[in-house]
Coordinates of all heavy atoms in Angstrom, one line a residue:
P1 N 26.2 39.7 -42.7 CA 26.0 39.4 -41.3 C 26.9 40.1 -40.3 O 28.1 40.4 -40.7 CB 26.2 37.9 -41.3 CG 27.2 37.6 -42.4 CD 26.8 38.6 -43.4
T2 N 26.4 40.3 -39.1 CA 27.3 40.9 -38.1 C 28.3 40.0 -37.5 O 28.2 38.7 -37.8 CB 26.4 41.5 -36.9 OG1 25.8 40.3 -36.3 CG2 25.3 42.4 -37.4
V3 N 29.2 40.5 -36.7 CA 30.2 39.6 -36.1 C 29.5 38.5 -35.3 O 29.8 37.3 -35.3 CB 31.1 40.5 -35.2 CG1 32.0 39.6 -34.3 CG2 31.9 41.4 -36.0
E4 N 28.5 39.0 -34.5 CA 27.8 38.0 -33.6 C 27.0 37.0 -34.4 O 27.0 35.8 -34.0 CB 26.8 38.8 -32.7 CG 27.5 39.7 -31.7 CD 27.9 41.0 -32.2 OE1 27.7 41.3 -33.4 OE2 28.6 41.8 -31.5
E5 N 26.4 37.4 -35.5 CA 25.7 36.4 -36.3 C 26.6 35.4 -37.0 O 26.3 34.2 -37.0 CB 24.9 37.2 -37.4 CG 23.7 37.9 -36.9 CD 23.1 38.9 -37.9 OE1 23.8 39.2 -38.9 OE2 22.0 39.3 -37.7
V6 N 27.8 35.8 -37.4 CA 28.7 34.8 -38.0 C 29.3 33.9 -36.9 O 29.4 32.7 -37.2 CB 29.9 35.6 -38.6 CG1 31.1 34.7 -38.9 CG2 29.4 36.2 -40.0
L7 N 29.6 34.3 -35.7 CA 30.1 33.4 -34.7 C 29.0 32.4 -34.3 O 29.3 31.2 -34.2 CB 30.5 34.2 -33.5 CG 31.6 35.2 -33.7 CD1 32.0 35.8 -32.3 CD2 32.8 34.6 -34.4
E8 N 27.8 32.8 -34.3 CA 26.7 31.9 -34.0 C 26.5 30.9 -35.1 O 26.3 29.7 -34.9 CB 25.4 32.6 -33.7 CG 25.3 33.3 -32.3 CD 25.4 32.3 -31.2 OE1 24.6 31.3 -31.3 OE2 26.2 32.4 -30.3
A9 N 26.6 31.3 -36.3 CA 26.4 30.5 -37.5 C 27.5 29.4 -37.5 O 27.3 28.2 -37.8 CB 26.4 31.3 -38.8
L10 N 28.8 29.8 -37.2 CA 29.9 28.8 -37.2 C 29.7 27.8 -36.0 O 30.0 26.7 -36.2 CB 31.2 29.6 -37.1 CG 31.6 30.4 -38.4 CD1 32.9 31.1 -38.2 CD2 31.7 29.4 -39.6
A11 N 29.2 28.3 -34.9 CA 29.0 27.4 -33.8 C 28.0 26.4 -34.2 O 28.1 25.2 -33.8 CB 28.6 28.2 -32.6
A12 N 26.9 26.8 -34.9 CA 25.9 25.9 -35.3 C 26.4 24.9 -36.4 O 26.0 23.7 -36.4 CB 24.7 26.6 -35.9
A13 N 27.4 25.3 -37.2 CA 27.9 24.5 -38.3 C 29.0 23.5 -37.8 O 29.3 22.5 -38.4 CB 28.5 25.3 -39.4
A14 N 29.6 23.8 -36.6 CA 30.7 23.0 -36.2 C 30.4 21.5 -36.0 O 31.2 20.7 -36.4 CB 31.2 23.6 -34.8
P15 N 29.3 21.1 -35.3 CA 29.1 19.7 -35.2 C 29.0 18.9 -36.5 O 29.6 17.8 -36.6 CB 27.7 19.7 -34.4 CG 27.6 21.0 -33.7 CD 28.3 21.9 -34.7
G16 N 28.4 19.5 -37.5 CA 28.3 18.8 -38.7 C 29.6 18.7 -39.5 O 29.8 17.8 -40.3
S17 N 30.4 19.7 -39.3 CA 31.7 19.7 -40.0 C 32.8 18.9 -39.3 O 33.8 18.5 -39.9 CB 32.2 21.2 -40.1 OG 32.6 21.7 -38.9
G18 N 32.6 18.6 -38.0 CA 33.6 17.9 -37.3 C 34.6 18.9 -36.6 O 35.5 18.4 -35.9
A19 N 34.5 20.2 -36.9 CA 35.5 21.1 -36.4 C 35.3 21.3 -34.9 O 34.2 21.3 -34.4 CB 35.3 22.5 -37.1
R20 N 36.4 21.4 -34.1 CA 36.3 21.7 -32.7 C 36.9 23.1 -32.4 O 36.9 23.5 -31.2 CB 37.2 20.6 -32.0 CG 36.7 19.2 -32.2 CD 35.4 18.9 -31.6 NE 35.4 19.1 -30.1 CZ 35.9 18.2 -29.3 NH1 36.3 17.1 -29.7 NH2 35.9 18.5 -28.0
R21 N 37.4 23.8 -33.4 CA 37.9 25.1 -33.1 C 37.4 26.1 -34.1 O 37.2 25.8 -35.3 CB 39.5 25.0 -33.2 CG 40.2 26.4 -32.9 CD 41.6 26.2 -32.6 NE 42.5 25.9 -33.7 CZ 43.7 25.5 -33.6 NH1 44.3 25.3 -32.4 NH2 44.4 25.3 -34.7
V22 N 37.3 27.3 -33.7 CA 36.9 28.5 -34.5 C 38.0 29.5 -34.5 O 38.3 30.0 -33.4 CB 35.5 29.1 -34.2 CG1 35.2 30.3 -35.1 CG2 34.4 28.0 -34.2
L23 N 38.6 29.8 -35.6 CA 39.5 30.9 -35.7 C 38.8 32.2 -36.0 O 37.9 32.2 -36.9 CB 40.6 30.7 -36.8 CG 41.7 29.7 -36.6 CD1 42.7 29.8 -37.8 CD2 42.5 30.1 -35.3
V24 N 39.0 33.2 -35.2 CA 38.3 34.5 -35.4 C 39.4 35.5 -35.8 O 40.2 35.9 -35.0 CB 37.6 35.0 -34.1 CG1 36.9 36.3 -34.4 CG2 36.6 33.9 -33.6
Q25 N 39.3 35.9 -37.1 CA 40.4 36.7 -37.6 C 39.9 38.1 -37.9 O 39.1 38.3 -38.9 CB 41.0 36.2 -38.9 CG 42.1 37.0 -39.5 CD 42.9 36.3 -40.6 OE1 42.4 35.4 -41.2 NE2 44.1 36.8 -40.8
P26 N 40.2 39.1 -37.1 CA 39.8 40.5 -37.4 C 40.8 41.1 -38.5 O 42.0 41.3 -38.3 CB 40.0 41.2 -36.1 CG 40.9 40.4 -35.3 CD 40.9 39.0 -35.8
H27 N 40.2 41.4 -39.6 CA 41.0 42.0 -40.7 C 41.1 43.5 -40.5 O 40.4 44.3 -41.1 CB 40.3 41.7 -42.1 CG 41.2 42.0 -43.3 ND1 42.4 41.5 -43.5 CD2 40.9 42.9 -44.3 CE1 42.9 42.1 -44.6 NE2 42.0 42.9 -45.1
L28 N 41.9 43.9 -39.5 CA 42.0 45.2 -39.1 C 43.5 45.7 -38.9 O 44.3 44.9 -38.6 CB 41.3 45.4 -37.7 CG 39.9 45.0 -37.6 CD1 39.4 45.0 -36.1 CD2 39.0 45.9 -38.4
L29 N 43.7 46.9 -39.2 CA 45.0 47.5 -39.0 C 45.2 48.0 -37.6 O 46.3 47.9 -37.0 CB 45.3 48.6 -40.0 CG 45.5 48.2 -41.5 CD1 45.5 49.4 -42.4 CD2 46.8 47.4 -41.6
F30 N 44.2 48.7 -37.1 CA 44.4 49.5 -35.9 C 43.6 48.9 -34.7 O 42.6 48.3 -34.8 CB 43.9 50.9 -36.1 CG 44.5 51.5 -37.3 CD1 43.8 51.8 -38.5 CD2 45.9 51.9 -37.3 CE1 44.4 52.3 -39.6 CE2 46.5 52.5 -38.4 CZ 45.7 52.7 -39.6
P31 N 44.1 49.2 -33.4 CA 43.2 48.9 -32.3 C 42.1 49.9 -32.2 O 42.0 50.9 -32.9 CB 44.2 49.1 -31.1 CG 45.2 50.1 -31.6 CD 45.3 49.9 -33.1
G32 N 41.2 49.7 -31.3 CA 40.1 50.6 -31.1 C 38.8 49.9 -30.8 O 38.8 48.7 -30.5
H33 N 37.7 50.6 -31.0 CA 36.4 50.0 -30.6 C 36.0 48.9 -31.4 O 35.3 48.0 -30.9 CB 35.3 51.1 -30.6 CG 34.8 51.5 -31.9 ND1 35.5 52.4 -32.7 CD2 33.8 51.1 -32.7 CE1 34.9 52.6 -33.9 NE2 33.8 51.8 -33.9
V34 N 36.4 48.8 -32.7 CA 36.0 47.7 -33.5 C 36.7 46.4 -33.1 O 36.1 45.4 -32.9 CB 36.4 48.0 -35.0 CG1 36.1 46.7 -35.9 CG2 35.5 49.1 -35.5
A35 N 38.0 46.5 -32.8 CA 38.8 45.4 -32.3 C 38.3 45.0 -30.9 O 38.2 43.8 -30.6 CB 40.3 45.7 -32.2
D36 N 38.0 45.9 -30.1 CA 37.4 45.6 -28.8 C 36.1 44.9 -28.9 O 35.8 44.0 -28.1 CB 37.3 46.9 -28.0 CG 38.6 47.5 -27.6 OD1 39.6 46.9 -27.7 OD2 38.6 48.7 -27.2
G37 N 35.3 45.3 -29.9 CA 34.0 44.7 -30.1 C 34.1 43.2 -30.5 O 33.3 42.4 -30.1
V38 N 35.1 42.9 -31.3 CA 35.4 41.5 -31.7 C 35.7 40.7 -30.5 O 35.2 39.6 -30.3 CB 36.5 41.5 -32.7 CG1 36.9 40.0 -33.0 CG2 36.1 42.1 -34.0
E39 N 36.6 41.2 -29.6 CA 37.0 40.5 -28.4 C 35.7 40.2 -27.5 O 35.6 39.1 -26.9 CB 38.0 41.3 -27.6 CG 39.4 41.4 -28.3 CD 40.2 40.1 -28.2 OE1 39.7 39.2 -27.5 OE2 41.3 40.1 -28.7
E40 N 34.9 41.2 -27.4 CA 33.7 41.1 -26.6 C 32.7 40.0 -27.2 O 32.2 39.2 -26.4 CB 33.0 42.4 -26.5 CG 33.7 43.5 -25.6 CD 33.2 44.9 -25.8 OE1 32.1 45.0 -26.4 OE2 33.8 45.8 -25.3
A41 N 32.6 40.0 -28.5 CA 31.7 39.1 -29.1 C 32.3 37.6 -29.0 O 31.5 36.7 -28.8 CB 31.6 39.4 -30.6
V42 N 33.6 37.5 -29.0 CA 34.2 36.2 -28.8 C 34.0 35.7 -27.4 O 33.7 34.5 -27.1 CB 35.7 36.2 -29.2 CG1 36.4 34.9 -28.8 CG2 35.8 36.4 -30.7
A43 N 34.1 36.6 -26.4 CA 33.9 36.3 -25.0 C 32.5 35.7 -24.8 O 32.3 34.7 -24.1 CB 34.1 37.5 -24.1
V44 N 31.5 36.3 -25.5 CA 30.1 35.8 -25.4 C 30.0 34.5 -26.0 O 29.4 33.6 -25.5 CB 29.2 36.8 -26.1 CG1 27.7 36.2 -26.2 CG2 29.1 38.2 -25.3
A45 N 30.6 34.3 -27.2 CA 30.6 33.0 -27.9 C 31.2 31.9 -27.1 O 30.7 30.7 -27.0 CB 31.3 33.1 -29.2
R46 N 32.3 32.2 -26.3 CA 32.9 31.2 -25.5 C 32.0 30.7 -24.4 O 31.9 29.6 -24.0 CB 34.2 31.8 -24.8 CG 35.4 31.9 -25.8 CD 36.7 32.2 -25.0 NE 37.8 32.2 -25.9 CZ 38.4 33.4 -26.2 NH1 38.0 34.5 -25.6 NH2 39.5 33.4 -27.0
R47 N 31.2 31.7 -23.8 CA 30.3 31.3 -22.8 C 29.1 30.5 -23.3 O 28.7 29.6 -22.6 CB 29.8 32.6 -22.1 CG 30.8 33.3 -21.3 CD 30.2 34.4 -20.3 NE 29.5 35.4 -21.1 CZ 30.1 36.6 -21.4 NH1 31.4 36.8 -21.2 NH2 29.4 37.5 -22.1
R48 N 28.7 30.9 -24.5 CA 27.5 30.2 -25.1 C 27.9 28.8 -25.6 O 27.0 27.9 -25.6 CB 26.9 31.0 -26.2 CG 26.2 32.3 -25.7 CD 25.7 33.1 -26.8 NE 24.8 32.4 -27.8 CZ 23.5 32.3 -27.6 NH1 22.9 32.8 -26.6 NH2 22.8 31.6 -28.5

């Protein structure tokens, strides 16, 4: 699954699990477009 798909899946699973927080951990060494893309996806998830 893509980054966006995983964030949506966790948001859907949160009510049943009781979780109120989602940790988003980029397993990355370097900055760049991949890290930026994660930040953008999280910004969308926050709004949704």
Side-chain angles (χ1 to χ4, degrees):
T2 65
V3 170
E4 293 79 6
E5 288 170 341
V6 163
L7 298 187
E8 283 298 310
L10 290 175
S17 70
R20 301 291 299 278
R21 181 162 77 190
V22 179
L23 282 185
V24 181
Q25 182 169 20
H27 188 59
L28 302 170
L29 288 169
F30 307 109
H33 73 278
V34 175
D36 292 342
V38 170
E39 293 281 359
E40 292 168 5
V42 172
V44 171
R46 285 194 180 107
R47 292 194 296 270
R48 289 175 58 86

